[in-house]
Amino acid sequence: MDPLHLRSAGTSLVISFDSGEAEVIHWGADLGATLPDLAILTAPVPHSAIDARVPAGLLPQASSSWRGRPGLRGHRITDGAAGLDFSSRLRTTSVTADGTSATIIQADGDTGISVESSLTLHDGGLLELRHTVINDGTAPFQVDELATVLPVAPDAVELLDLTGRWCRERHPQRRPIQQGTWVRTGRHGRTGHDSSLLFAAGTAGFGNRHGKVWATHLAWSGNHEQFADTLGDGRTMIGGSELLGPAEVILAPGGSYTTPALFAAYSDRGLDGITEAFYSWFRARPHHVLPAAATGLPAGKARPVVLNTWEAVYFDHNLETLIELADSAADLGVERFVLDDGWFRGRRDDHAGLGDWYVDETLWPNGLTPLIDAVTSRGMEFGLWVEPEMVNLDSDVARAHPDWIVGPSALAHKDGGRLPLEWRNQHVIDLVNPEAWQYIYDRIDALLAGNNISYLKWDQNRDLLEHGHGGRSSVHEQTLAAYRLFDELRKAHPGVEIESCSSGGARVDLGILERTDRIWGSDCNDALERQTIQRWTGAVVPPELVGSHIGPTASHTTARTHDLSFRAITALFGHFGMEWDVRGVQGKDREELRRLVALYKEHRDLIHSGRRVHADVADDSLLLHGVVAGSPAAAGTTAAVFALVSTRTSAAEAPGRIGIPGLDPERTYRVQAVFPTAGDADYSHTFTQTQPPAWLAGGATAGGKFLAEVGLPMPILNPEHALLLKFTAL
C-alpha cells in the first residue's frame, strides 16, 4: 500500500502502511510533492530488544511491542468475565484520501475491534485528528482510553504547556523533554483553570518568532489528559485523550465511541506560526464572526463594545440605577449592555435561586422589558447572564426535583443520597436526566423567545467533582448533554450570540468554542495579570473571541491600581468592553474613556482579522505585541498596531532599540505613537525620561526590513504602563 502524504501551508504529514498498521513517519516541514522509497527509514534493531522494528503507530499498540502509552486501552466483558480481548492487533484494511484529508480503517478480527481514523490538514496547516472505535464483537467492550497522538522530531527537546488558577489562567511553564511521560491531567469535569490550552514541543530555546514547534490542543470540555511520552529509544509522542471515569463508555455490539478532536500544528517560525495555523482555521469556519471589512460579506459584524454590569452593581438590581448605567454607557459609545447575575427569582446573593430561571417579579414587576427597551432605544443590544448547568439547594427546582442534583449515589437527595461538597454554594444539575435537560432547555428557550435578548453570558461556576448519574460516573455524558443544550438553543435562536464563561476562564477549548461566539478570558480585569492571560489565550484563540474589559482603577480581584491608559491598551487586543460603574467616570477621565472607545472602533477590524505578532524582546521586563494586516504571502502589509508594555522595572537604564517583526520588508511605513503621546501632559507619568526618543513626538518613516532588523529606540516606560503604536504603509 502506498504511503499517505497530506500537504498544506508548509506542513507535511506522511503515514506508511509497510508494517501493516498506520504509522506516522513524518509530521512537520513540507517535504515537497515527491517522496523517496520509505524503506530508507528502516531503523536498526538493537540488542536485547524485540527482534523487529517497532512502529510508532497512529494508534500505538502493545501487539507491535510499543512500550509507551498505548493508543487504545479497553477490554471485553463476556458472561460476567472482564479483562478479555485486552490487546488488539489492528491492521489497515482501507485508506481513502483526497490530498488534504483521509480516512483510515484498522481492524482486528480476533478481538472484534476496529478503529476509523479521520485526518484533515486544513488550508492554514492545522491538522485535525480523531478516532472512532467500533465494537464488532458479540459481547460488550469497555473503553478505558482512546488517545490521539503524533510523533515529534528528535530535535524537539523542550516542552511548553500552560497552567493557572482562578484569576491567573494560562501561564506558561517550560521543562526539558526527558525519558518518561509528562502528563497533564484535568479532573475538573470541565476544562479547568489550570488546563493547558496549548501543549507544545520545540527545539532548544524556541520563542515567539524562532525555532521549530509542534503543538497540540484537545477540543474537549470535560475530563482529559494531555501528555508527552518519550521512550528509551528516543522517540517522543505528544497527544491527548478524554479521561474516562470507571465504566463510563461500554460499547454494546455494533456500538462506537469517538474521541474529541486533537488539533495539531507545526511551525518553523516559532509560536507565532502555530498561532497563524489556529487563526486560519477559526476564521475559515462558516459560522465564525468576522468584521465585514475582513470578509467582504454582508453577514460580517464588528465585535460590539460591551458593558457588563457585574462589577458595577453586583446583585443590587434596581431599574432606575441600571437605566442610569445604560445612559452612561450609551454616551461613551457602548454597543452591547449585559445584565449579569441577580435578575431571577430569589437571587439576592449567591446562596439561592440558581435553577429558577424566571424573572423575579418582586424586582421586575413588569419583567425585563422596561430595561430592555431602555437599552435598545439607546442603540445598544441587550445581553443576559445565565448559569443553566448549576443549581442552588435553596431553589424551587431543587426542592421539587432533588433527584435532578448530581451526586455519586444512585439515591435521590430526598432519600438520603450523599451530595458532593458545595462550591460557591451550588451544585450541578443532571443534564443526563432527560427531564432535567428538557426543563433547562425550555426555560432558556422561553427567556429568549419572550424577550429581545441578543446575547447570553453563559456561566459555569464550579468543577464537576464526584459527578454521577444513577450511581455511575457521568462526566462524559454530562459534557455531551451540555453540548447538545448549546446546539439546540442555537438552532432555535440563531441570532443570539453566546459567551462561554466558567468562573472566568475555566472552560476555554475548541469544543466549547464550536458552540459559542466568544469566551471570557478570566474573572480578573487587572491589566497586568491580563497581559499574560491574554497573550497565552491568544496563542490559540483569536482576539475577536476573547472578552477583554476595562475594569475600575483599583482591580476588584487584586486591589492593584492602574492608569486608564494601561487598562485600555490591554483591553484593546481582544473583544473590548468595560466592567465598571462608568457613571462615576467624569471630566477628563470620561473624555479619555470616550476617546479610547473610539480608538477600539477605529482599529477593531484590523485587530480581529490580522496576524498576531509577538516580538522576542531580550529585556524580559518588556513585551512588544501587535496585529499586522494581511498575510505573509500577501502582496503587501498595509497597517499594524503594536503595544509596548512594561511589566516591571528593568535592569537597564533604557530599553534600547527593539525590532518590529511581521511588517512587509519591501514596504515603507509611517510609525507614530497613538496613545498616550509624549506631549500629553495628562500622561507624563507614563514615561520616566528627560528626553523622549526622537521619533516619538512627531513620528518617523522607515522600511519594514529596517524596522525589523535595526528597530527603534523605545521610550522609557514606567512599570505597568503601555504605549500604543500605529504603522501605516506608504
Side-chain angles (χ1 to χ4, degrees):
M1 189 178 292
D2 292 336
L4 172 68
H5 187 190
L6 305 182
R7 300 175 64 206
S8 179
T11 296
S12 278
L13 178 73
V14 180
I15 297 178
S16 169
F17 305 97
D18 288 349
S19 66
E21 64 181 289
E23 179 184 8
V24 180
I25 297 296
H26 171 81
W27 167 49
D30 184 25
L31 301 179
T34 304
L35 296 176
D37 183 350
L38 295 182
I40 66 173
L41 297 179
T42 302
V45 177
H47 282 296
S48 190
I50 295 296
D51 296 332
R53 187 182 67 84
V54 177
L58 187 62
L59 276 164
Q61 44 192 339
S63 60
S64 298
S65 296
W66 183 258
R67 291 176 287 176
R69 284 177 67 116
L72 172 64
R73 290 189 302 107
H75 58 95
R76 194 170 298 285
I77 306 167
T78 304
D79 297 329
L84 306 176
D85 293 338
F86 69 95
S87 179
S88 292
R89 187 176 183 271
L90 297 166
R91 291 296 180 263
T92 305
T93 60
S94 72
V95 179
T96 57
D98 65 4
T100 57
S101 62
T103 300
I104 300 169
I105 297 177
Q106 301 180 87
D108 179 5
D110 292 337
T111 59
I113 292 298
S114 60
V115 177
E116 180 179 301
S117 301
S118 172
L119 306 95
T120 301
L121 189 58
H122 294 281
D123 289 345
L126 189 68
L127 175 65
E128 183 177 355
L129 167 63
R130 55 170 57 85
H131 302 304
T132 299
V133 58
I134 302 110
N135 179 10
D136 299 320
T138 58
F141 185 86
Q142 177 173 313
V143 179
D144 296 323
E145 182 181 28
L146 183 56
T148 42
V149 300
L150 291 163
V152 297
D155 53 346
V157 297
E158 288 185 10
L159 192 66
L160 180 146
D161 57 5
L162 310 175
T163 187
R165 58 168 173 81
W166 178 71
C167 282
R168 199 179 186 273
E169 297 88 342
R170 288 173 292 288
H171 278 56
Q173 54 185 12
R174 282 188 188 243
R175 59 184 29 80
I177 293 178
Q178 297 173 315
Q179 188 172 325
T181 307
W182 171 251
V183 182
R184 293 296 310 279
T185 301
R187 290 189 173 92
H188 302 279
R190 55 179 174 173
T191 319
H193 289 103
D194 61 351
S195 175
S196 189
L197 182 69
L198 186 75
F199 199 89
T203 50
F206 70 90
N208 293 325
R209 307 285 296 176
H210 67 274
K212 298 178 184 178
V213 186
W214 295 259
T216 61
H217 169 86
L218 189 69
W220 181 244
S221 308
N223 290 339
H224 62 279
E225 286 191 337
Q226 298 174 91
F227 53 84
D229 190 27
T230 302
L231 276 62
D233 62 15
R235 287 182 288 184
T236 295
M237 311 287 278
I238 62 173
S241 63
E242 180 183 2
L243 180 61
L244 295 169
E248 272 201 290
V249 175
I250 299 177
L251 304 180
S256 65
Y257 162 77
T258 300
T259 67
L262 184 79
F263 288 89
Y266 164 76
S267 166
D268 61 2
R269 296 172 286 113
L271 289 161
D272 277 358
I274 298 294
T275 298
E276 284 185 24
F278 275 98
Y279 284 20
S280 174
W281 176 83
F282 268 108
R283 289 170 174 169
R285 301 178 304 165
H287 60 283
H288 188 74
V289 181
L290 275 178
T295 62
L297 300 174
K301 178 182 178 183
R303 310 308 293 133
V305 178
V306 177
L307 185 130
N308 186 278
T309 66
W310 179 243
E311 290 190 8
V313 299
Y314 289 100
F315 288 107
D316 185 16
H317 284 204
N318 174 279
L319 179 59
E320 183 178 346
T321 298
L322 289 166
I323 289 177
E324 288 177 1
L325 188 59
D327 275 330
S328 185
D331 173 69
L332 291 167
V334 168
E335 297 160 312
R336 174 180 288 161
F337 183 96
V338 181
L339 181 66
D340 212 287
D341 193 359
W343 56 268
F344 47 97
R345 285 181 184 169
R347 192 67 165 175
R348 298 298 178 271
D349 53 36
D350 62 6
H351 289 75
L354 279 178
D356 295 342
W357 301 110
Y358 296 86
V359 177
D360 192 323
E361 301 88 342
T362 62
L363 278 177
W364 307 93
N366 298 309
L368 293 174
T369 300
L371 178 61
I372 293 173
D373 288 348
V375 167
T376 55
S377 68
R378 287 157 176 79
M380 297 181 290
E381 297 176 354
F382 181 80
L384 191 66
W385 180 96
V386 293
E387 193 173 5
E389 298 157 81
M390 301 296 156
V391 63
N392 289 127
L393 295 184
D394 186 2
S395 65
D396 292 341
V397 69
R399 284 183 283 270
H401 300 282
D403 54 314
W404 290 1
I405 302 172
V406 165
S409 172
L411 296 173
H413 174 52
K414 64 182 178 182
D415 295 327
R418 179 172 63 82
L419 291 178
L421 295 176
E422 288 192 330
W423 177 312
R424 200 175 182 244
N425 311 299
Q426 64 192 51
H427 288 274
V428 184
I429 198 159
D430 186 7
L431 296 179
V432 182
N433 182 318
E435 293 181 355
W437 187 96
Q438 192 63 50
Y439 164 78
I440 294 297
Y441 174 85
D442 289 344
R443 289 311 315 138
I444 305 304
D445 176 60
L447 279 168
L448 295 175
N451 295 279
N452 184 11
I453 297 170
S454 302
Y455 181 82
L456 285 180
K457 179 180 178 180
W458 187 307
D459 215 336
Q460 182 209 34
N461 272 309
R462 68 157 292 163
D463 282 358
L464 282 59
L465 305 171
E466 284 201 305
H467 191 93
H469 170 78
R472 299 169 63 92
S473 180
S474 63
V475 170
H476 171 75
E477 290 298 330
Q478 180 82 4
T479 306
L480 294 178
Y483 282 173
R484 191 169 72 255
L485 188 59
F486 280 97
D487 293 343
E488 293 304 315
L489 285 168
R490 288 181 70 93
K491 285 181 187 176
H493 305 278
V496 176
E497 292 187 16
I498 301 178
E499 171 186 338
S500 172
C501 176
S502 185
S503 316
R507 188 158 65 179
V508 176
D509 61 80
L510 270 64
I512 202 67
L513 277 163
E514 271 297 270
R515 296 160 170 88
T516 56
D517 301 283
R518 82 169 202 171
I519 51 96
W520 183 226
S522 176
D523 279 343
C524 183
N525 287 317
D526 179 320
L528 182 63
E529 297 294 336
R530 274 282 185 153
Q531 282 290 330
T532 302
I533 292 167
Q534 290 176 196
R535 187 271 173 269
W536 292 103
T537 303
V540 170
V541 184
E544 62 267 25
L545 301 184
V546 182
S548 179
H549 292 182
I550 304 174
T553 304
S555 168
H556 284 203
T557 56
T558 67
R560 192 183 275 132
T561 61
H562 287 127
D563 284 352
L564 178 56
S565 62
F566 186 47
R567 285 141 55 211
I569 291 171
T570 301
L572 280 175
F573 289 89
H575 182 182
F576 178 89
M578 288 163 271
E579 196 137 347
W580 187 10
D581 188 351
V582 293
R583 295 176 301 164
V585 183
Q586 298 297 331
K588 289 183 178 179
D589 287 344
R590 190 168 190 84
E591 290 306 310
E592 205 65 68
L593 183 55
R594 188 179 286 110
R595 174 185 169 191
L596 287 161
V597 170
L599 196 64
Y600 166 73
K601 291 179 179 180
E602 177 185 352
H603 294 295
R604 61 183 162 190
D605 278 10
L606 168 61
I607 292 169
H608 296 162
S609 64
R611 290 183 293 115
R612 285 302 303 268
V613 174
H614 301 85
D616 290 301
V617 182
D619 186 341
D620 63 4
S621 73
L622 293 173
L623 305 172
L624 180 72
H625 67 87
V627 180
V628 180
S631 66
T637 299
T638 58
V641 289
F642 277 82
L644 176 69
V645 181
S646 171
T647 60
R648 61 181 184 277
T649 58
S650 172
E653 290 181 334
R657 294 198 300 255
I658 296 177
I660 313 297
L663 300 174
D664 186 337
E666 304 303 321
R667 301 197 70 164
T668 300
Y669 292 86
R670 174 75 177 171
V671 55
Q672 61 191 111
V674 176
F675 182 79
T677 62
D680 192 336
D682 289 337
Y683 284 96
S684 58
H685 50 284
T686 296
F687 310 99
T688 177
Q689 54 197 10
T690 302
Q691 181 176 323
W695 65 269
L696 188 63
T701 300
K705 190 171 184 62
F706 181 94
L707 290 168
E709 299 297 334
V710 179
L712 291 172
M714 290 297 172
I716 306 171
L717 295 177
N718 279 321
E720 300 174 28
H721 285 78
L723 177 67
L724 188 68
L725 305 174
K726 178 181 179 180
F727 295 79
T728 304
L730 303 180

